[in-house]
Amino acid sequence: MANLSLFSWMRTPQPPQADTVNEAGGLAYRRDPRAALALYAATGCLNNTFYSDAEAQLQQVLALTAQVEPRFIARTALYARQVAHMKDMPALLLAVLSLRDPEAFALVFPRVIDNGRQLRTFVQIMRSGQVGRRSLGSLPKRRVREWIQQASAETLVRAAIGQQPSLADVIRMVHPKPANAERKALYAWIIGRPYDEEQLPAVVQAYEAFKRDPRGLPPDLPFQYYSTLPLDAAQWSALARNASWQSMRMNLNTFARHGVFDDPAMVQVIAERLRDPQQVRRARVLPYQLLMAFHAGGGLPAPILEALQDAMEIATASAPALPGRVVVAVDVSGSMQSPVTGYRKGSSTAARCVDVAALVAACVLRGQPQAKVLPFDTEVRHVRLNPRDSVMTLARQLAINGGGTSVSAPLHYLNLRREPVDLVVLVSDNESWRDTRQGGQTATMLQWDALKRRCPQARLVCIDLQPVASSQTVQRGDVLHIGGFSDAVFDLMAQYAAAAEDGSSWVERIQDMAL
């Protein structure tokens, strides 16, 4: 009889041998170029990460774009901006596309460049020379000019905040043609040339008058325009009322320092805006941003903190009520303590990868109170959770400081106890190294195969939080890879959990983005 250890019948397809090592030196699988580009687009912020630096990340993205077709670059840029809510990466992909496929570039430009900050970022990337040229080129220059000419006066005034390049620099670069006297005066005001004040838009006229005599209520402009003016609490309250939802969320402590919350009526106004479902959804706030606002707001009034918790419940409403026996494995290793959007001198986010991973687990637990949550580093770390706690509270309890990384640890834990499983959700940066082997499959894939032999119906969702070109598992029908930290992750996970026969990959979902 043939050797049964070699020729036994397998319920699951045998995965290939690992073909690379990750940044931590552990055995890993090389991602397909499209999958790697999608992950970089959904998680990469072009900053230093725990294992890599910004320059290496940029060169990796440029190398990946050279390996995929231009239309996939276009769809990835759309996904990164419209679904994953990224900023710099979609602008970079658009810049690459301007050289690779001008027609696709023209199609997606207005959908990727949807505000003034995105416009300035795109121009900055184009002029840097990193994508192959140091000028805009005729088509990109025309698209930038058209964006400025078609933007409302209010949009341009708000876009004029920020430098390197400033909107003034961009206007000087592309020379938009003013359609009327008001637009001519506005362009001159932005770039610092002489203008006829009577021709300016009404809100800009009011602002110039307020600068000369800063009394009464300030005009409805972003509060950055008033940072150098001596405003009282009533004037700061007016600015808080008029701030965009995101600006309000980001500057709660600033408003508190200027006495806005000394007025109970203003506390109520801001709290109601923070928890307004329509405003929360329109702001496209990322759940981790709300978590950080809550953590940083220890000195804020209780109604404001309660409103942030309400906003979190709204922002994570798409978190699935996953059916069956669910396990969520949360990587709490040392590398997960790094900022989720990378290190940037003077502006690194306080949100760590472990905070986002904990947030995902907390959201799943709210929808499925019977789910098992397994924090791990080199082994599973036990923590007692109350599913009735708020998402904020659960996420804080799960954000443990760990050590080394063995992504296989939670699967090994389940196999040792022979626990029945329908779905495993694994949230990690994928930099496994303590369980590495000299050759063959990764320890994670070996443990998943063992689990599949016990639970043939089980499926695995791997949520990757950092831009890496390798993985610990192989994408196949029972393994779904998702990248990113927006609420889109919950939506994709819900679709996968609900459709048992749906083997479509995350890359295929991006490929379906309509141009």
Side-chain angles (χ1 to χ4, degrees), residues 404-484:
T405 312
S406 294
V407 173
S408 62
L411 301 176
H412 180 60
Y413 175 92
L414 296 171
N415 285 331
L416 278 179
R417 288 156 180 76
R418 300 193 63 79
E419 294 194 20
V421 176
D422 294 312
L423 179 69
V424 177
V425 179
L426 201 159
V427 195
S428 174
D429 63 357
N430 251 300
E431 298 291 1
S432 191
W433 58 275
R434 281 290 296 271
D435 56 355
T436 190
R437 296 163 53 86
Q438 295 300 315
Q441 304 168 23
T442 63
T444 304
M445 208 65 220
L446 285 171
Q447 291 295 333
W448 178 244
D449 274 358
L451 190 149
K452 285 288 290 185
R453 286 193 289 272
R454 293 189 303 103
C455 309
Q457 82 293 341
R459 288 182 295 161
L460 174 65
V461 175
C462 299
I463 301 176
D464 302 304
L465 299 180
Q466 290 286 269
V468 292
S470 63
S471 66
Q472 289 298 298
T473 56
V474 178
Q475 171 81 46
R476 63 189 194 190
D478 63 332
V479 179
L480 175 68
H481 289 179
I482 306 173

Side-chain angles (χ1 to χ4, degrees), residues 41-59:
T43 63
C45 296
L46 300 174
N47 295 323
N48 296 342
T49 63
F50 190 87
Y51 286 107
S52 182
D53 60 35
E55 179 63 28
Q57 190 179 142
L58 171 62
Q59 296 308 317

Side-chain angles (χ1 to χ4, degrees), residues 211-282:
K211 284 199 300 182
R212 292 189 292 268
D213 184 13
R215 291 181 294 180
L217 297 181
D220 182 11
L221 287 173
F223 73 86
Q224 290 89 338
Y225 278 106
Y226 302 99
S227 59
T228 60
L229 299 180
L231 305 185
D232 58 28
Q235 292 170 322
W236 272 102
S237 295
L239 293 177
R241 285 178 180 272
N242 294 330
S244 68
W245 193 96
Q246 280 282 33
S247 180
M248 180 178 61
R249 188 267 308 171
M250 294 169 62
N251 293 281
L252 291 171
N253 288 319
T254 298
F255 295 144
R257 287 196 303 271
H258 288 91
V260 172
F261 297 136
D262 293 345
D263 180 358
M266 278 303 301
V267 172
Q268 187 64 27
V269 167
I270 299 300
E272 289 304 314
R273 284 196 63 198
L274 284 171
R275 62 166 56 96
D276 183 289
Q278 290 187 345
Q279 295 194 51
V280 172
R281 297 188 186 101
R282 191 183 310 123

Side-chain angles (χ1 to χ4, degrees), residues 79-145:
Y79 181 90
R81 182 60 188 152
Q82 296 186 338
V83 181
H85 309 322
M86 301 298 283
K87 298 173 184 176
D88 296 353
M89 195 62 76
L92 172 61
L93 295 180
L94 189 65
V96 171
L97 198 62
S98 71
L99 278 71
R100 290 282 305 278
D101 189 333
E103 182 181 353
F105 166 82
L107 285 173
V108 300
F109 181 91
R111 298 158 66 188
V112 173
I113 307 303
D114 55 6
N115 61 38
R117 184 191 185 281
Q118 286 297 107
L119 184 79
R120 293 189 295 104
T121 299
F122 171 74
V123 172
Q124 176 188 1
I125 290 171
M126 288 293 293
R127 297 187 68 204
S128 70
Q130 292 284 7
V131 299
R133 68 190 322 164
R134 291 189 175 274
S135 62
L136 287 178
S138 58
L139 178 59
K141 186 174 182 179
R142 184 162 68 250
R143 287 290 178 264
V144 171
R145 183 190 306 119

Side-chain angles (χ1 to χ4, degrees), residues 162-244:
Q163 301 294 323
Q164 297 182 337
S166 65
L167 182 61
D169 295 330
V170 178
I171 289 175
R172 293 188 191 99
M173 201 180 305
V174 301
H175 305 292
K177 184 178 180 180
N180 50 46
E182 179 186 278
R183 186 53 63 101
K184 180 179 180 181
L186 180 58
Y187 290 162
W189 179 79
I190 292 173
I191 66 178
R193 290 181 178 175
Y195 55 84
D196 183 348
E197 186 168 332
E198 293 183 356
Q199 297 295 334
L200 287 171
V203 69
V204 182
Q205 291 187 42
Y207 171 66
E208 289 298 323
F210 184 82
K211 284 199 300 182
R212 292 189 292 268
D213 184 13
R215 291 181 294 180
L217 297 181
D220 182 11
L221 287 173
F223 73 86
Q224 290 89 338
Y225 278 106
Y226 302 99
S227 59
T228 60
L229 299 180
L231 305 185
D232 58 28
Q235 292 170 322
W236 272 102
S237 295
L239 293 177
R241 285 178 180 272
N242 294 330
S244 68

